[in-house]
């Protein structure tokens, strides 16, 4: 049986390796659907802010999930405007040329404060449950089904799916060059995991956000919530960006806390459980200032773009499968 207190981060850090492994096994047993194939369990060393600790990961139906322990009284959101930025950063401009009547034009610090406040979530304290989280987000029209080895011709994951698409997988790989990084067929996307010499197999879908969420929930998953996204990306750091209160260098953040990958989110928005809130994504304003270009990499950034573009199927979006580990 899962011991809830052991899943709290301060207690998790004190457990022996044997106890951590036993608790992780219980989490898999009680919170992952028995219809989901679990494989590739392995220890992980991850960072959360300045803290480095040990946890575990496992593969579920073609995606790797990391266990993130629970944490009480996590600080999320932002309510300090540009106060923590250096004055030299308030009006620092990019090389993008805009006409005087295009994009944002700030006259003083009050304008900068108002911009940051408008595009970040409010400051708040929340209790975060333990989570099983996909290491990376994937495009909305991809649905992970398993992994396939062209060498052994072995598939791990949804076996009913494989029985339907085995010929399409094998024929697609037979006709392409060895170790092609990404292959699309009529119904599938195959992405090479170079370090394992196997392909992740995704089914192409045409789901809306709502339909995708319904499908995931039937399998025991969900999207991340707004709070979970901010926690997973920033680990509760009391700074505007995960590592600092100064403008980060473009593309400097290759991986976020807990070993999760958020690098793709600058080009696409991440879907959350709130249908009106997408997180991350590109700059939605003119981009005259460096702050505009860099603010989307803050965990607390919230552009409000889906509210204005509801139903826009061309909007680049991604999602991250998540299982909340909470005892009723």
């Amino acid at each position: 049986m899962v011991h809830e207190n052991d899943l709290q981060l301060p207690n998790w850090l004190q457990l022996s390796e044997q106890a951590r492994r036993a608790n992780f096994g219980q989490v898999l047993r009680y919170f992952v659907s028995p219809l989901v194939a679990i494989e590739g369990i392995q220890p992980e060393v991850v960072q959360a802010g300045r803290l480095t600790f040990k946890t575990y990961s496992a593969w579920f139906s073609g995606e790797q999930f990391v266990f993130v322990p629970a944490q009480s009284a996590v600080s999320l959101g932002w309510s300090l405007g540009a106060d923590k930025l250096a004055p030299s950063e308030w009006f620092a401009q990019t090389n993008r040329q805009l006409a005087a009547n295009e994009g944002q034009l700030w006259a003083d610090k009050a304008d900068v404060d108002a911009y940051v406040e408008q595009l970040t979530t409010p400051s708040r304290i929340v209790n975060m449950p333990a989570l099983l989280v996909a290491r990376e987000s994937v495009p909305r029209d991809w649905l992970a089904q398993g992994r396939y080895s062209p060498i052994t011709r072995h598939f791990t994951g949804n076996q009913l799916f494989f029985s339907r698409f085995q010929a399409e997988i094998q024929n697609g790989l037979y006709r392409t060059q060895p170790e092609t990084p990404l292959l699309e067929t009529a119904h599938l996307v195959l992405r090479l995991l170079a370090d394992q010499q196997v392909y992740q197999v995704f089914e192409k879908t045409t789901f809306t956000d709502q339909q995708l969420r319904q499908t995931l929930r039937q399998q025991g998953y969900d999207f991340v919530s707004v709070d979970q996204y901010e926690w997973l990306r920033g680990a509760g750091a009391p700074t505007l960006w995960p590592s600092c209160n100064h403008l980060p260098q473009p593309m400097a953040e290759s991986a976020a806390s807990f070993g999760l990958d958020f690098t793709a989110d600058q080009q696409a928005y991440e879907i959350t459980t709130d249908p009106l809130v997408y997180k991350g994504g590109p700059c939605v304003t003119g981009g005259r200032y460096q702050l505009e270009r860099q603010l989307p990499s803050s965990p607390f950034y919230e552009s409000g773009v889906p509210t204005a573009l509801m139903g826009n199927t061309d909007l680049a979006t991604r999602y991250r499968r998540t299982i909340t580990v909470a005892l009723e």
Side-chain angles (χ1 to χ4, degrees):
M1 184 63 184
V2 179
H3 299 289
E4 187 172 13
N5 288 339
D6 287 346
L7 303 185
Q8 292 284 331
L9 182 57
N11 297 332
W12 178 265
L13 298 176
Q14 304 303 317
L15 296 178
S16 66
E17 188 67 27
Q18 182 179 8
R20 278 195 298 269
R21 178 62 181 82
N23 274 278
F24 182 68
Q26 294 299 302
V27 166
L28 298 181
R29 177 180 179 183
Y30 287 104
F31 291 93
V32 181
S33 168
L35 301 178
V36 172
I38 301 173
E39 56 168 335
I41 298 173
Q42 64 184 43
E44 301 277 349
V45 178
V46 301
Q47 285 189 301
R50 297 181 179 179
L51 178 66
T52 301
F53 68 94
K54 296 180 179 180
T55 186
Y56 281 87
S57 68
W59 288 83
F60 307 159
S61 301
E63 284 191 298
Q64 190 177 30
F65 282 68
V66 178
F67 176 69
V68 178
Q71 179 70 297
S72 299
V74 173
S75 176
L76 301 176
W78 190 252
S79 60
L80 298 175
D83 285 353
K84 296 296 182 178
L85 289 170
S88 61
E89 297 173 304
W90 295 343
F91 308 106
Q93 297 195 15
T94 66
N95 293 326
R96 186 173 184 183
Q97 299 298 316
L98 294 174
N101 61 349
E102 291 182 328
Q104 298 284 313
L105 193 60
W106 300 331
D108 51 34
K109 179 178 176 293
D111 291 340
V112 187
D113 285 335
Y115 180 82
V116 174
E117 289 297 308
Q118 180 184 4
L119 292 176
T120 53
T121 57
S123 180
R124 61 205 186 277
I125 302 294
V126 299
N127 295 326
M128 296 304 306
L131 300 166
L132 288 163
V133 188
R135 190 179 291 277
E136 63 175 334
S137 61
V138 297
R140 182 181 62 183
D141 55 354
W142 294 11
L143 185 62
Q145 297 287 2
R147 293 187 294 172
Y148 178 77
S149 169
I151 298 174
T152 65
R153 297 190 175 185
H154 179 64
F155 179 87
T156 56
N158 184 341
Q159 295 300 322
L160 289 177
F161 169 86
F162 184 61
S163 67
R164 289 174 54 207
F165 292 104
Q166 179 177 358
E168 187 170 333
I169 293 170
Q170 293 175 342
N171 290 340
L173 290 174
Y174 178 76
R175 293 189 177 98
T176 192
Q177 295 294 322
E179 298 190 357
T180 298
L182 190 70
L183 171 67
E184 291 196 38
T185 67
H187 304 98
L188 310 171
V189 176
L190 284 75
R191 184 172 62 176
L192 180 66
L193 295 169
D195 59 332
Q196 302 177 36
Q197 294 186 317
V198 299
Y199 282 86
Q200 288 179 284
V201 181
F202 299 91
E203 182 180 6
K204 290 181 180 179
T205 75
T206 56
F207 292 145
T208 64
D209 290 0
Q210 183 179 8
Q211 291 168 336
L212 175 58
R213 190 181 183 196
Q214 288 174 344
T215 299
L216 294 180
R217 295 184 76 175
Q218 290 169 0
Q219 301 170 352
Y221 305 106
D222 206 341
F223 302 144
V224 294
S225 69
V226 173
D227 287 349
Q228 289 168 356
Y229 177 96
E230 293 187 11
W231 163 237
L232 294 171
R233 188 156 191 176
T239 52
L240 189 52
W241 289 277
S243 61
C244 64
N245 277 318
H246 298 288
L247 293 175
Q249 295 299 313
M251 304 306 292
E253 184 184 19
S254 59
S257 298
F258 308 111
L260 305 178
D261 187 359
F262 284 89
T263 55
D265 289 355
Q266 283 296 106
Q267 303 304 319
Y269 301 97
E270 185 159 329
I271 302 169
T272 73
T273 54
D274 185 333
L276 296 181
V277 177
Y278 290 179
K279 298 292 284 184
C283 169
V284 296
T285 54
R288 182 190 308 273
Y289 301 101
Q290 290 185 24
L291 177 57
E292 293 178 84
R293 308 296 292 177
Q294 296 304 315
L295 193 59
S297 61
S298 168
F300 315 128
Y301 180 75
E302 189 172 300
S303 67
V305 67
T307 304
L309 299 176
M310 192 65 68
N312 181 357
T313 56
D314 294 329
L315 196 66
T317 55
R318 302 173 71 89
Y319 72 97
R320 188 183 305 268
R321 289 195 297 175
T322 304
I323 298 174
T324 299
V325 180
L327 301 177
E328 299 296 337

